[in-house]
Amino acid sequence: MAIRLSDRFSYGRLVRFALPSIAMMIFISVYSMVDGLFVSNFTGKEALAAVNLVYPLAMALGSIGFMFGTGGAALVAKTMGEGDEVRANRLFTFIALAAAALSVALCAVGAFALEPLLGFLGADGQLLDLSLLYGRVLLAALPFSVLQNMFQSFFIAAEKPYVGLAVTVAAGLANIVLDYLFIAVLGWGIAGAAVATMIGQVLGAAVSVAYFARSRTSRLRFARPVHDLRALGKACVNGSSELMTEVAASVVSTLYNFQLLMLLGADGVAAYGVIMYVNFVFTAVFFGFAMGTGPVVSYHYGAQNKDELKSLFRKSLVLVGGAGVAMFAASQLFGGALVGVFVGYDPDLVALTLHGFRIYSVSFLMAGFNIYGSAFFTALNNGKVSALVSFMRTLVFETSTVMLLPLVWGVDGVWSAIIVAEACALVLTVGFLVYLRKPYGYA
């Protein structure tokens, strides 16, 4: 039986409703992971370092899709909870058009800034050439990446999370198959990885647009857009925490690469890239759960169902905490096998990466609460608090720790930066959750 936003949620029902979103986020993370896996094993660690330098920059631009998606879906779901289905569809269409227009403009900005930024990071010679080749193809696919990211949240608000999952799985499988064809069979190297990613993103965006244009069963569908700039601004502010999270993650990744390039050279960048691949998959569970449950929270907040809101909040914290413990345990037990898949051909690089990963994995015990806390305030349409938590967590706490701790602890300071940053962010997140519990009625 279909699960609806208006339902009451047990643990099982909540997990089932969020599961497609979790799977979607995992498949999104597969894009970079599969590129790195094939590039590393068939092209070498220099090309792997190029992928790791460029991908965070492309993600920063593509993250506006998460801003429009999470912020827009929270507003649309709240509007549905208030009983205005017609306005919800018109707002949805207007937000989608705005996202498409802005993404096209960002292509030009990215094309202009790519080479100077890579030079600033220290890329030169072959590393710079490979990075430019990979980056220019990803920039060409930017509008499709933005739309694919945005529609993930709207599939959930439309009560069609499994359709969104199917679209993302199809795009992810296309990327995997084409990576094998272009890199392993045809020998296109890093260019093949970029083209495979682009085709996967085009497929995901095109199928999503077609679905919302033609579906007769979706609760959301394209309609005559309402030109409401105030609502668009509210959606952007509300989703700014997700934008901040993705942009800040890209900035932080860039700083990690900068530090490791100075301390260890290309091996350091390659090691960090492998750690990030595993981190993308693990944190995708947190982001997917937050994304999947967000429209449910927004709906019940709009409908003023305080008892269900309390239940959702308590159950979510239990599930997030349990997932964090499981991820930490898996990292310690199976870290060697995970690292070996990517760089098993280089024993020294395996040892370096495994050491860093086992330190880094402590952060999984705290990261889920911070990710969920920020997304929870987005769902409550409090974009300011959500953005502040994300801003402090990444652009303040993590950027400062990754620049300062290596001065004291060297390379181990780089791997430990995330632990200190997440601990500081957890204090802030808990503070806001306690302070605002009565006004919103979730505890």
Side-chain angles (χ1 to χ4, degrees):
M1 186 171 65
I3 302 175
R4 301 191 177 279
L5 298 179
S6 56
D7 288 350
R8 292 191 176 276
F9 284 80
S10 63
Y11 279 103
R13 185 175 288 264
L14 191 60
V15 170
R16 289 200 305 274
F17 192 77
L19 195 59
S21 303
I22 295 171
M24 280 197 292
M25 292 304 296
I26 290 174
F27 266 91
I28 291 296
S29 69
V30 163
Y31 287 144
S32 61
M33 182 194 301
V34 172
D35 281 0
L37 180 64
F38 279 99
V39 166
S40 178
N41 284 283
F42 290 94
T43 309
K45 60 186 179 182
E46 189 87 6
L48 176 62
V51 171
N52 295 336
L53 280 177
V54 171
Y55 198 78
L57 307 178
M59 281 297 295
L61 294 176
S63 62
I64 66 163
F66 292 113
M67 176 187 73
F68 282 109
T70 54
L75 179 61
V76 167
K78 180 174 177 288
T79 304
M80 290 191 295
E82 294 166 345
D84 195 343
E85 300 275 346
V86 174
R87 177 171 173 78
N89 280 287
R90 297 184 68 192
L91 279 172
F92 161 58
T93 306
F94 184 53
I95 292 168
L97 290 172
L102 182 58
S103 65
V104 172
L106 285 177
C107 286
V109 175
F112 177 79
L114 182 61
E115 186 168 0
L117 186 53
L118 289 171
F120 172 76
L121 293 175
D124 56 14
Q126 184 184 18
L127 181 59
L128 177 60
D129 293 338
L130 291 171
S131 299
L132 285 172
L133 176 60
Y134 187 71
R136 284 167 178 162
V137 177
L138 292 192
L139 281 172
L142 181 62
F144 304 99
S145 173
V146 167
L147 290 176
Q148 184 183 18
N149 292 340
M150 181 196 71
F151 283 125
Q152 292 171 26
S153 295
F154 282 114
F155 274 117
I156 301 163
E159 298 178 342
K160 297 293 183 180
Y162 284 98
V163 176
L165 172 60
V167 171
T168 305
V169 168
L173 289 176
N175 186 29
I176 294 170
V177 171
L178 292 175
D179 265 331
Y180 174 77
L181 175 63
F182 294 159
I183 301 173
V185 177
L186 298 179
W188 290 2
I190 198 169
V195 172
T197 298
M198 179 178 68
I199 292 173
Q201 291 170 344
V202 170
L203 176 63
V207 173
S208 299
V209 169
Y211 179 83
F212 285 114
R214 301 178 63 85
S215 175
R216 294 292 180 266
T217 61
S218 173
R219 194 166 181 181
L220 283 180
R221 62 185 64 87
F222 290 137
R224 182 168 59 89
V226 55
H227 298 282
D228 190 338
L229 294 177
R230 179 173 295 181
L232 179 64
K234 185 175 182 179
C236 290
V237 170
N238 199 35
S240 61
S241 61
E242 280 62 36
L243 174 66
M244 185 67 66
T245 296
E246 295 297 329
V247 171
S250 300
V251 171
V252 169
S253 294
T254 301
L255 292 177
Y256 269 94
N257 286 329
F258 177 76
Q259 290 281 58
L260 290 167
L261 201 57
M262 290 194 302
L263 291 168
L264 298 170
D267 278 8
V269 176
Y272 176 66
V274 173
I275 293 172
M276 283 300 95
Y277 295 144
V278 180
N279 176 70
F280 287 158
V281 174
F282 281 9
T283 57
V285 175
F286 295 134
F287 282 112
F289 180 80
M291 180 186 296
T293 57
V296 180
V297 171
S298 298
Y299 183 93
H300 286 284
Y301 173 59
Q304 291 297 296
N305 296 330
K306 295 289 182 69
D307 289 341
E308 185 62 18
L309 198 59
K310 292 178 182 178
S311 176
L312 286 166
F313 178 67
R314 290 195 300 268
K315 289 180 172 67
S316 295
L317 291 184
V318 171
L319 291 170
V320 166
V325 172
M327 290 175 191
F328 172 71
S331 300
Q332 299 300 314
L333 293 173
F334 307 117
L338 293 170
V339 168
V341 169
F342 289 91
V343 291
Y345 55 83
D346 189 328
D348 291 337
L349 188 53
V350 168
L352 171 66
T353 306
L354 182 58
H355 175 71
F357 180 54
R358 284 183 168 153
I359 297 173
Y360 190 99
S361 66
V362 176
S363 66
F364 297 141
L365 296 170
M366 298 169 283
F369 293 111
N370 295 324
I371 291 168
Y372 180 77
S374 176
F376 184 70
F377 285 113
T378 297
L380 294 173
N381 283 262
N382 190 334
K384 293 179 181 178
V385 170
S386 180
L388 181 60
V389 170
S390 294
F391 175 80
M392 295 298 293
R393 173 177 173 253
T394 48
L395 281 181
V396 175
F397 297 143
E398 198 169 354
T399 54
S400 58
T401 54
V402 78
M403 296 305 292
L404 294 176
L405 290 185
L407 298 177
V408 181
W409 295 338
V411 174
D412 280 354
V414 178
W415 306 134
S416 302
I418 183 67
I419 302 172
V420 178
E422 293 289 4
C424 294
L426 184 60
V427 173
L428 181 66
T429 301
V430 171
F432 275 121
L433 288 172
V434 171
Y435 179 70
L436 294 172
R437 69 190 187 284
K438 289 185 179 179
Y440 286 105
Y442 53 78

